[in-house]
Amino acid sequence: MSSTAASASTAPTPAAPAPEAVPAAKSPKPGSLKRRRTLAQWGFIAPAVVFMLLFFGYPLVRNIVMSFQHYTPSTFFTGEAPFNGLDNWKNVFQDDLFGKALWQTILFTIGSLIGQFGIGLALAVFFNRRFPLNGVLRSLILLPWLVPMVVSGVVWRRILDQDTGVLNSFLGLFGAGDTPWLSSTGMALISVIMVNIWIGIPFNMVILYGGLQEVPKEMYEAASLDGASGWRTFRSITLPLLKPVITVVLVLGFMSTVKILDLVLALTDGGPADSTQTLGTLTYQNSFAQLDFGAGAVVGNILILISAVFAVFYLRANRNEGK
Amino acid sequence: MTAHITDGSRQRRRRLDRRVVVPLTVVSALVGAVALSGCGAQRDESVFTVLNSSTDDSYHGWDAATLKRCSKQLGVTIEQQSVPAAQVMTKSLRMASSKSLPDIIQFDGSEMPTFAETGGLLDLKKLGVSTADIPEGILDYGSYKGTYYGAARTVNTLALFYNKDILDKAGLPVPTTWAEMRSTAEKLTKSGSYGVALSAGGAEDGVYQFTPFMWSNGGDETALDSPRVVEALDYWKSLIKDGSLSKSTVNWTQADVNDQFMAGNAAMMINGPWQVETLNTKKNLHWGIAQIPVPEAGEDSVGPLGGGMLTIPDVGDTAREKTSAKIVNCMTSEQEEVTYALNSWMIPANQKAAAVWREKVPSLSSLADQVATARSRTAKLGSGWTSVSLALQSAFQSALTGQSSESALKHAQQRVESGN
């Protein structure tokens, strides 16, 4: 689970191989040998590069180009998609639905992250102590992570049904059995966020738990000798030492949350009255319901851009961690 | 981890390099080659494919039987390829761009105009597909801009299904007008079960269900903000306000509505005949079927015309296309239509077949009447239907969750006009 690079293990390292022998100067063509080595190095990288270019680079470039084209069903026959400048971008930005979807995506992402991270961290700290059944309980909490997203969506949709849902039957005991979880514009987004939090807790807990295992026990001993309270220990030791792990968890969480599509489609299909449309569902609707592939590409590109900004954060955080 | 080569033998290193470089180059080339192949599959001369959405076991089986009989009759092999209904359009478009279109595509009526507009469909009359004994309305349904592109085997529409036991126990007749439907629904609503169920979900299902209310009231899709459409939406709102229609209706697909009705959570429902097969799996459920109530007694109940239609895409091979037309003729022959209609509880498109079918299932005759007055969603707007449908979905969902019908529909009409 935990990265070995940052581990402060005192285990004897295996004997390091002898330093590389300097190539003998008797070589007839030192240049050719060097070239060949470089070639071999590139050869190892080449398959990965080719793969990345084909399956990531090409679609990405295509998608960017597509957002400046008038790309309609006819394009599939004629292969012609005339460039139309910024028309697609203008249309998307003028559509009230885009602003709505953007705002809802922000709410959804922030809400999900706070919930997933907060509860995940609390559970990780809780499980960081030794007690009976610790392992069993931890495995049980992983379950939401193992269930496919669409299955979770379909099951939760039934649980949250206003009339026949299990949740309202249960709340009915306390006189709150008519909550319109998914059938009111005010509640639907909150419900979708809650389901997404439920799905995201295990991931956060596992990674943070791994991070906590890395914190040396001696520190906690020292802190308790100094008479620090539990809260003070958490604030001054646990959090600062977890910082790199926290960054990674938040960034990865952000990237999987911001592009949400499957869960929303399964739960509400973007409804009621577009109250759960996100940038992901809007891309889907533009491309596959309206068949306006140019507009779909625009929203897709905006999503990629947002993710790219955070990917840079992630890489920087990782680089600092490697030191 | 870097691999250190510790011994200084150039010989070995050189050999190693060559041993490594060559396979790596091959691997890279392979990755590229695999990625670029997979397009442009070669067509098998003697095998014809039909792309449809018959992913359900029962439908897949019925279609397989039909195609087997037609294969025998025409001496060619016909295979079916089934994808989920929502993917028929995108799948077809992808196949068009890789020049691997199937010989026949079964489109939903609301999708055909979009595909026809690309110029990728052929005129069925020119290819020799028969139009004898097909009523005008169904010919129009299969036409786009005056050209007949889609041959329907069977058509369907929506009707009012009611639970006979519940209505009999309450001593209520089957409602025929909006006012009757409203009061009946209210009387039949008890705790845990509603008077009526319908789908107002944010997809084509919901729009399909709204059309009979909009059209029977004289409203139409070219002016969503007209008072006639507002009235129809207000009628839906009144059912929710009375408590006789569940607020969950905005999350329901037509399949969900059917589940509610079967579970006894609704005394009546608006739904289509394709649900009958499922309904009949519940032995102790006694249901009846009637026309959808109209605003005032004596008016026509105008429902939406639905159902798949067989189209022949342009595959650039006239001889093949002529054979495809023969396959369509076989699939839409009287005998095949009756068989398919009886299986799927829909109404044969061919009038002669419909007469035979009526004799065999008299219980569904009100459905046949409803089809006679039914209207195609795309007749007026063609491929423009899609954006109207999306705007309308948002509108009735907003109205049912609190907004006023008038402002929701005004907004929808503005959205349509601004091209978004």
Side-chain angles (χ1 to χ4, degrees):
Chain A
M1 291 307 295
S2 59
S3 71
T4 46
S7 80
S9 86
T10 50
T13 44
E20 189 165 352
V22 181
K26 277 184 287 182
S27 150
K29 287 183 230 155
S32 78
L33 187 65
K34 205 166 170 191
R35 219 178 15 248
R36 202 167 269 171
R37 283 204 56 192
T38 322
L39 206 66
Q41 284 162 352
W42 278 108
F44 274 107
I45 299 174
V49 171
V50 170
F51 180 86
M52 292 284 286
L53 282 177
L54 275 173
F55 291 99
F56 293 96
Y58 172 73
L60 187 71
V61 172
R62 265 303 292 273
N63 206 49
I64 291 170
V65 173
M66 203 192 266
S67 68
F68 296 101
Q69 287 177 305
H70 187 60
Y71 205 102
T72 61
S74 307
T75 307
F76 289 89
F77 284 88
T78 58
E80 285 166 21
F83 282 95
N84 60 357
L86 291 171
D87 282 6
N88 294 330
W89 293 80
K90 272 193 210 124
N91 285 342
V92 166
F93 289 135
Q94 275 165 1
D95 187 2
D96 337 341
L97 204 52
F98 174 76
K100 199 171 179 172
L102 180 64
W103 173 235
Q104 279 156 194
T105 307
I106 293 170
L107 285 181
F108 176 83
T109 309
I110 293 177
S112 298
L113 282 184
I114 291 176
Q116 288 173 4
F117 179 78
I119 299 172
L121 182 62
L123 284 171
V125 171
F126 174 71
F127 282 113
N128 204 22
R129 299 179 231 167
R130 292 229 173 119
F131 57 85
L133 290 185
N134 180 318
V136 177
L137 286 173
R138 246 187 316 130
S139 333
L140 280 179
I141 286 181
L142 289 187
L143 279 179
W145 202 1
L146 303 177
V147 180
M149 191 77 112
V150 174
V151 176
S152 303
V154 172
V155 172
W156 273 104
R157 193 175 146 230
R158 296 209 145 186
I159 294 174
L160 296 170
D161 188 277
Q162 191 171 346
D163 306 308
T164 54
V166 165
L167 186 60
N168 273 354
S169 310
F170 172 72
L171 291 176
L173 303 173
F174 313 100
D178 200 33
T179 315
W181 296 107
L182 296 172
S183 41
S184 89
T185 45
M187 279 299 293
L189 187 64
I190 297 171
S191 304
V192 177
I193 291 174
M194 285 196 313
V195 174
N196 195 46
I197 289 174
W198 176 84
I199 291 171
I201 287 172
F203 167 77
N204 281 266
M205 184 195 83
V206 165
I207 307 279
L208 292 167
Y209 176 82
L212 284 175
Q213 298 288 303
E214 298 284 311
V215 179
K217 295 277 176 286
E218 298 82 13
M219 290 218 177
Y220 288 123
E221 280 165 21
S224 65
L225 283 175
D226 289 342
S229 65
W231 171 239
R232 179 69 208 270
T233 313
F234 176 75
R235 220 184 51 212
S236 308
I237 294 175
T238 313
L239 271 187
L241 287 169
L242 264 187
K243 211 168 186 171
V245 182
I246 288 174
T247 318
V248 169
V249 164
L250 284 180
V251 171
L252 289 179
F254 173 88
M255 282 158 79
S256 62
T257 307
V258 78
K259 63 175 174 57
I260 194 79
L261 170 74
D262 40 10
L263 181 67
V264 180
L265 288 185
L267 276 174
T268 61
D269 212 351
D274 298 319
S275 61
T276 51
Q277 290 275 16
T278 61
L279 292 180
T281 58
L282 189 60
T283 308
Y284 180 82
Q285 183 177 301
N286 283 343
S287 297
F288 300 114
Q290 297 256 47
L291 300 173
D292 184 349
F293 297 93
V298 169
V299 185
N301 284 332
I302 292 168
L303 263 180
I304 292 170
L305 195 72
I306 296 173
S307 295
V309 169
F310 278 81
V312 171
F313 271 120
Y314 172 69
L315 291 172
R316 293 194 51 168
N318 252 3
R319 210 172 47 211
N320 294 342
E321 198 196 1
K323 277 177 192 160
Chain B
M1 300 296 285
T2 50
H4 293 282
I5 303 171
T6 46
D7 81 305
S9 151
R10 282 196 314 275
Q11 283 290 317
R12 262 192 59 185
R13 192 177 300 158
R14 191 175 307 161
R15 259 213 317 272
L16 181 93
D17 282 356
R18 194 165 300 152
R19 244 196 353 229
V20 165
V21 172
V22 175
L24 284 177
T25 319
V26 172
V27 167
S28 305
L30 271 178
V31 168
V34 167
L36 293 175
S37 67
C39 323
Q42 198 52 47
R43 207 185 287 280
D44 187 338
E45 282 305 320
S46 62
V47 179
F48 286 74
T49 29
V50 178
L51 178 69
N52 61 22
S53 59
S54 310
T55 47
D56 285 5
D57 270 352
S58 45
Y59 280 82
H60 201 78
W62 301 329
D63 277 335
T66 295
L67 293 177
K68 203 169 165 184
R69 287 189 291 267
C70 290
S71 295
K72 217 172 178 167
Q73 189 190 316
L74 298 167
V76 290
T77 314
I78 315 169
E79 289 173 351
Q80 64 172 331
Q81 191 182 358
S82 304
V83 296
Q87 290 172 26
V88 174
M89 176 59 99
T90 43
K91 173 97 185 163
S92 307
L93 289 173
R94 277 204 307 275
M95 288 168 128
S97 67
S98 62
K99 303 273 183 284
S100 58
L101 276 165
D103 297 283
I104 296 170
I105 305 175
Q106 181 170 326
F107 277 118
D108 178 69
S110 65
E111 294 175 323
M112 182 274 287
T114 304
F115 206 83
E117 201 183 38
T118 63
L121 291 181
L122 297 172
D123 183 338
L124 295 185
K125 283 182 185 166
K126 277 187 187 161
L127 282 173
V129 172
S130 159
T131 55
D133 301 321
I134 301 176
E136 200 60 40
I138 295 176
L139 278 180
D140 286 347
Y141 178 56
S143 302
Y144 177 64
K145 290 189 178 166
T147 310
Y148 184 59
Y149 291 112
R153 286 191 282 169
T154 55
V155 287
N156 66 57
T157 184
L158 290 169
L160 179 77
F161 289 71
Y162 54 93
N163 187 317
K164 281 181 176 165
D165 297 344
I166 297 182
L167 260 74
D168 288 350
K169 217 166 110 186
L172 293 166
V174 179
T176 55
T177 65
W178 282 8
E180 285 172 11
M181 182 176 164
R182 190 175 168 180
S183 69
T184 306
E186 198 166 20
K187 284 174 192 150
L188 295 175
T189 300
K190 303 186 290 287
S191 78
S193 107
Y194 288 89
V196 66
L198 53 84
S199 158
E204 190 66 23
D205 271 21
V207 178
Y208 196 63
Q209 296 238 327
F210 184 65
T211 51
F213 294 90
M214 170 167 85
W215 288 338
S216 300
N217 199 38
D220 127 8
E221 59 276 19
T222 54
L224 295 177
D225 50 356
S226 77
R228 296 283 182 179
V229 185
V230 174
E231 255 175 36
L233 186 46
D234 278 333
Y235 180 68
W236 267 19
K237 281 187 81 153
S238 70
L239 295 173
I240 288 196
K241 206 174 84 221
D242 295 348
S244 22
L245 170 62
S246 164
K247 291 192 182 94
S248 298
T249 183
V250 293
N251 297 118
W252 287 344
T253 61
Q254 298 184 114
D256 294 328
V257 170
N258 198 46
D259 289 344
Q260 295 291 331
F261 183 76
M262 283 176 75
N265 296 336
M268 303 182 282
M269 71 166 172
I270 305 289
N271 224 322
W274 60 89
Q275 307 286 17
V276 170
E277 202 201 348
T278 320
L279 279 175
N280 284 346
T281 56
K282 199 172 169 183
K283 292 283 173 279
N284 59 356
L285 178 76
H286 306 113
W287 55 269
I289 189 168
Q291 289 211 347
I292 295 177
V294 287
E296 300 291 335
E299 290 176 331
D300 267 346
S301 176
V302 187
L305 203 51
M309 46 180 65
L310 302 167
T311 63
I312 301 179
D314 184 352
V315 294
D317 178 344
T318 318
R320 269 191 93 83
E321 287 155 359
K322 284 226 156 66
T323 311
S324 297
K326 285 187 186 133
I327 297 172
V328 171
N329 274 336
C330 170
M331 290 172 80
T332 53
S333 62
E334 203 179 308
Q335 188 55 49
E336 287 299 343
E337 279 194 11
V338 172
T339 309
Y340 186 65
L342 288 174
N343 277 331
S344 63
W345 300 92
M346 295 194 220
I347 302 99
N350 178 308
Q351 269 167 317
K352 279 186 183 163
V356 175
W357 173 87
R358 252 182 208 253
E359 279 167 25
K360 295 201 176 193
V361 273
S363 62
L364 293 184
S365 62
S366 58
L367 202 65
D369 296 337
Q370 185 94 48
V371 163
T373 55
R375 191 194 286 184
S376 149
R377 282 159 290 170
T378 52
K380 293 197 176 187
L381 298 169
S383 58
W385 169 259
T386 320
S387 53
V388 169
S389 165
L390 280 170
L392 191 52
Q393 287 161 32
S394 291
F396 62 66
Q397 291 217 315
S398 302
L400 297 182
T401 50
Q403 225 190 329
S404 89
S405 304
E406 202 173 349
S407 69
L409 286 162
K410 245 197 187 70
H411 182 70
Q413 186 60 26
Q414 278 165 0
R415 250 179 84 180
V416 171
E417 282 165 15
S418 73
N420 272 322

